[in-house]
Amino acid sequence: MVVRLRPHHLLCMLTFIGKGYNAAFVANYMALARRLSEGEALEIVSGPDDICRPLLSGDKAHCRLESVVRRDDLATAAVARLLGRSVRPGDRIYPGRTLIRRFREAFADGSLRTACHGCRWSEICSVVAASGFADVRVLGSAVPAETATGTCAPLPA
């Protein structure tokens, strides 16, 4: 199995503490957070993903808005800079502790937050980062660092 994530959700998962749009969204996200923390791979997708699933009803679903697509573009560029390689749909990433720690450090220093501007959750994410990421739900699995980037090149030193 694999958890399908759009690029900006790579950032959201860093600060998810069990809050969200509605009860169905939170329950779904909690289940996905458990899977990622247990070592399941994530696959980058274009457009709505497994986190979006409870929000896709109706013609004006939040996850299809142009502002959300723009957030994905900005997150893709920021994550690619951090990893030192391109990030494309179909790429698999194993969210190990080393990689999650590296992402959280970049998130806390602001270098990974370009996609967060204008997001309604940005303030709570700032509070979570300032707390040292207390109470986050995606912990990062104990996969070896050499597999932390999945099918792509090893993580740069």
Side-chain angles (χ1 to χ4, degrees):
M1 298 274 301
V2 65
V3 175
R4 299 169 57 252
L5 290 185
R6 64 189 315 156
H8 86 264
H9 283 158
L10 290 171
L11 310 183
C12 299
M13 74 176 188
L14 301 173
T15 60
F16 177 66
I17 58 171
K19 296 184 180 192
Y21 297 97
N22 59 41
F25 176 86
V26 171
N28 178 60
Y29 207 149
M30 293 289 281
L32 295 171
R34 271 191 302 279
R35 288 170 54 193
L36 290 169
S37 294
E38 290 170 358
E40 195 164 325
L42 62 87
E43 181 178 334
I44 303 299
V45 298
S46 177
D49 62 7
D50 291 341
I51 291 174
C52 296
R53 195 173 326 132
L55 302 176
L56 293 177
S57 63
D59 294 338
K60 299 195 190 258
H62 165 81
C63 295
R64 291 189 174 97
L65 296 175
E66 184 59 37
S67 61
V68 177
V69 173
R70 177 74 178 132
R71 224 180 286 307
D72 285 335
D73 293 341
L74 292 168
T76 298
V79 169
R81 276 191 305 276
L82 181 66
L83 294 177
R85 64 168 174 81
S86 64
V87 175
R88 295 180 298 272
D91 284 354
R92 288 206 175 175
I93 298 173
Y94 296 87
R97 289 182 188 135
T98 301
L99 185 63
I100 294 292
R101 182 175 56 248
R102 187 169 175 200
F103 272 43
R104 285 195 172 116
E105 288 169 359
F107 189 90
D109 75 20
S111 62
L112 198 58
R113 292 195 68 178
T114 55
C116 302
H117 301 295
C119 175
R120 70 188 278 185
W121 301 101
S122 187
E123 187 176 325
I124 195 165
C125 294
S126 294
V127 170
V128 171
S131 77
F133 299 93
D135 302 320
V136 293
R137 302 305 176 131
V138 176
L139 303 175
S141 66
V143 299
E146 53 272 6
T147 63
T149 59
T151 58
C152 298
L155 239 159

